[in-house]
Amino acid sequence: GQNIDQPTEMTATEGAIVQINCTYQTSGFNGLFWYQQHAGEAPTFLSYNVLDGLEEKGRFSSFLSRSKGYSYLLLKELQMKDSASYLCAVGMDSNYQLIWGAGTKLIIKP
Amino acid sequence: DTEVTQTPKHLVMGMTNKKSLKCEQHMGHRAMYWYKQKAKKPPELMFVYSYEKLSINESVPSRFSPECPNSSLLNLHLHALQPEDSALYLCASSQDRSSGANVLTFGAGSRLTVL
């Protein structure tokens, strides 16, 4: 079966750093995506990792370890607007299909 | 133009109605998708069109009927829906790449309520 696990909810303080973990067990792998979704809005693409290591993009970084089936999204210098759900998704070999995690709701407090 | 435009934003329909959701993109993307999303759940893939041909139908009930009139447009025709079909319907598009990331660009969604 296909399985992606991420925490349901996390709370962090404005200006701080937070790490959102994602573990996966899937029958195929064609990269791992992170999307951000604000309440009532569409998901927007944040990052893509297909090789092991860290990808940095401004305040956001994403890490992948394929041997461990593990990824994390690191958010630095948190802002109130970062309050959103963060969805981890694994690309499957068909290239169109993504296996989605249930999402992590991130709450930022002043 | 880096947007996917969906209409209508909100739709309320009865179980005997026929309605359509529309989606448009002008990014030159050749793959277009319909997803269904319930509250606090991840998106569920319904259909994928690649180069205007239906590539994936994820065992969706026939009361949902997709149509891709051209490479920029995607419709979802709705007929005899059930209250449990109430959800946010998301359209997305991507470059149709044989390798590398097929990054999805989502529209803002059509929120459907079936009475």
Side-chain angles (χ1 to χ4, degrees):
Chain A
Q2 321 283 18
N3 193 48
I4 296 185
D5 284 318
Q6 41 180 144
T8 304
E9 188 173 297
M10 299 182 70
T11 302
T13 304
E14 192 176 14
I17 298 173
V18 73
Q19 178 174 310
I20 302 174
N21 295 326
C22 170
T23 57
Y24 63 91
Q25 290 176 304
T26 56
S27 57
F29 183 83
N30 192 23
L32 189 140
F33 298 80
W34 284 96
Y35 283 82
Q36 180 192 59
Q37 187 174 27
H38 286 98
E41 297 183 13
T44 55
F45 170 73
L46 288 178
S47 69
Y48 171 74
N49 295 67
V50 67
L51 300 176
D52 289 354
L54 188 68
E55 295 276 345
E56 297 187 75
K57 200 187 286 187
R59 293 190 299 116
F60 293 5
S61 303
S62 56
F63 172 83
L64 175 68
S65 169
R66 289 172 297 171
S67 62
K68 294 182 179 174
Y70 168 69
S71 173
Y72 67 72
L73 181 69
L74 191 73
L75 293 77
K76 302 177 187 173
E77 301 168 18
L78 286 170
Q79 302 174 9
M80 298 303 292
K81 67 179 182 179
D82 297 329
S83 291
S85 285
Y86 291 86
L87 296 151
C88 168
V90 171
M92 301 302 284
D93 297 336
S94 81
N95 223 34
Y96 300 123
Q97 288 169 310
L98 293 173
I99 306 298
W100 294 84
T104 298
K105 182 178 179 181
L106 178 63
I107 299 168
I108 309 297
K109 295 188 173 177
Chain B
D1 188 351
T2 57
E3 282 189 344
V4 175
T5 304
Q6 287 188 245
T7 54
K9 286 189 167 34
H10 299 275
L11 179 63
V12 179
M13 60 188 290
M15 289 190 282
T16 58
N17 292 158
K18 281 186 184 180
K19 297 284 185 184
S20 297
L21 305 181
K22 296 185 184 301
C23 175
E24 189 169 3
Q25 58 89 14
H26 295 288
M27 294 178 282
H29 287 175
R30 301 314 298 263
M32 294 187 76
Y33 309 70
W34 280 114
Y35 278 89
K36 172 184 176 180
Q37 188 177 28
K38 293 272 206 181
K40 300 183 181 180
K41 298 286 187 186
E44 296 173 40
L45 184 63
M46 299 175 74
F47 304 103
V48 181
Y49 275 82
S50 172
Y51 289 85
E52 299 156 52
K53 287 191 168 52
L54 184 63
S55 290
I56 294 177
N57 175 342
E58 291 286 26
S59 304
V60 179
S62 59
R63 57 186 185 267
F64 295 92
S65 174
E67 179 196 18
C68 189
N70 60 53
S71 59
S72 300
L73 294 174
L74 186 66
N75 298 322
L76 186 63
H77 302 299
L78 314 171
H79 174 54
L81 294 193
Q82 304 295 311
E84 59 264 29
D85 297 322
S86 298
L88 182 67
Y89 287 84
L90 293 163
C91 174
S93 68
S94 72
Q95 293 178 334
D96 199 334
R97 301 174 68 166
S98 57
S99 63
N102 251 343
V103 175
L104 297 175
T105 301
F106 284 90
S110 293
R111 187 161 296 283
L112 174 66
T113 303
V114 182
L115 301 176

